[in-house]
Amino acid sequence: PRPPAAPAGVYLQGPVGSGKTMLMDLFYREARSRVARPRRVHFNALMLELHQVVHKAEERQRERQLEEREKRGGWLQHQAKKAFLAARRRLRVALKRGAGPDGGGREEGLGYSAVIAEAMDEILSRGGAAGASPASGDVSLVCFDELQVPDAFTAVAVMGLFEWFRDSGVVLVATSNRAPAELNDNGFHARYFQDAVSRLVTRTRVVSVASEDYRRLHVSEIPPVGGDGQVALTGEGGGAAEEEEEGEERQLPPGFLYFWPLGLAAEQGLRRRLAGHLAWCGLPGAAAASASAVAGSAAETEVEVMFGRTLSVRSPASGVAEVRFPELCEGNLGPADYCALAQSFHTLCLREVPQLGRERKDQARRFLTLVDELYNHRCILLCTAAAGPDSLFRGGEGEGPAFYDFEGLQFEGAAED
């Protein structure tokens, strides 16, 4: 008999800071005790995992090609690169025809949907989320945070995800800054994506969460540091914080974490703040560690990133990284690097953040992604910057005041690519 339709999901849309993620987390916290194997996934992290799974599928195809050639005999070592390229072409042709990564037959349609379906089964079977119900069985509920479509691969992936939700009977609860019809403003695979959006709308209840940015209600104006490097730092105790109850999340340390404008006063303020922060963390040698961080003389450490890559950063103390803005936001780095950084350290000391106008769009996009990943992983950020938070992003000469369409900035970069 035909199985009953899955319950309708919820699509929470609204501006930043309006409480979408908080509402979803409240729902997920309640669902953990009532639903078998629910999962909560940040969308950026899921896309990185999808890239890995597709990459592994291509590697498997390549290995099969090499094995076939070796069985035929006479396959020379210097032709391995040609075999790899041929394998990738063969895989992509199969995908476009609707075949799976192993060449098996699939339903007609956009080919990557088959790979996405297999990838989701693999990703969501890698153990339950933190606090999830220990019950066995398939995943029945997935909560996506910050659903977006910044590039062509993501557009194809999202189409495959929607089909997977439909075919698997999994309930989707998602948050996004954009309405479903606005997800694909760049027009990637527009004709196919419109069908995917229609399926999304029919399977979810779209709820608008439009309000002010609640996060800013508790943030007073951050004053510039004085000539002596002093600001109104509160809670500058020299000892570590009191022991907290087991399982309780550690709260953000007291005092300012953002110092501007750039100069000696900001460096002195950062040095004092970092020393107090390391003491608050209960780390030994707080003063020496903060001095080495500000001086840039901390020991180098390697952070493992995806696909065998590593990222080199300075670490003045356990769990603390120190880096200059150009090292993170002016090179060829992206979400995978920032995610690995946030997972490896509980505190990031970022120095020399410049004023980010439209002439620095690439750096601004990377900085936005970096802050997003630090926020998602509850990683504390201390930084020195050229301007206060409200004026850090501004247009060029003759372009008007500061611009705040940060997601639009990221989408603009994807369209340019």
Side-chain angles (χ1 to χ4, degrees), residues 272-345:
R272 293 184 65 246
R273 178 66 261 166
L274 185 56
H277 175 63
L278 295 179
W280 175 83
C281 292
L283 299 177
S290 63
S292 64
V294 175
S297 59
E300 295 278 344
T301 184
E302 297 291 330
V303 178
E304 293 186 2
V305 192
M306 294 173 57
F307 304 120
R309 294 192 301 107
T310 60
L311 178 63
S312 180
V313 296
R314 292 176 291 279
S315 180
S318 176
V320 180
E322 184 274 330
V323 68
R324 295 172 57 250
F325 178 87
E327 296 169 338
L328 281 185
C329 300
E330 293 185 4
N332 295 322
L333 302 181
D337 304 273
Y338 305 144
C339 185
L341 191 66
Q343 290 174 338
S344 303
F345 300 96

Side-chain angles (χ1 to χ4, degrees), residues 343-373:
Q343 290 174 338
S344 303
F345 300 96
H346 58 68
T347 300
L348 175 65
C349 180
L350 182 63
R351 301 167 58 203
E352 304 173 12
V353 179
Q355 200 161 29
L356 299 166
R358 298 186 186 278
E359 71 281 0
R360 293 176 179 262
K361 287 187 292 186
D362 290 339
Q363 294 94 317
R365 282 191 284 266
R366 292 190 180 95
F367 182 64
L368 293 174
T369 304
L370 170 65
V371 173
D372 193 35
E373 290 300 331

Side-chain angles (χ1 to χ4, degrees), residues 156-177:
V156 175
V158 168
M159 286 186 283
L161 287 175
F162 292 164
E163 291 186 13
W164 179 83
F165 280 110
R166 178 197 63 189
D167 297 339
S168 304
V170 176
V171 177
L172 168 67
V173 176
T175 70
S176 179
N177 294 346

Side-chain angles (χ1 to χ4, degrees), residues 37 41 70 142 212 242 246 279 307 386:
R37 297 192 64 209
V41 185
E70 287 175 355
V142 174
E212 57 188 322
E242 297 181 359
E246 183 178 358
F307 304 120

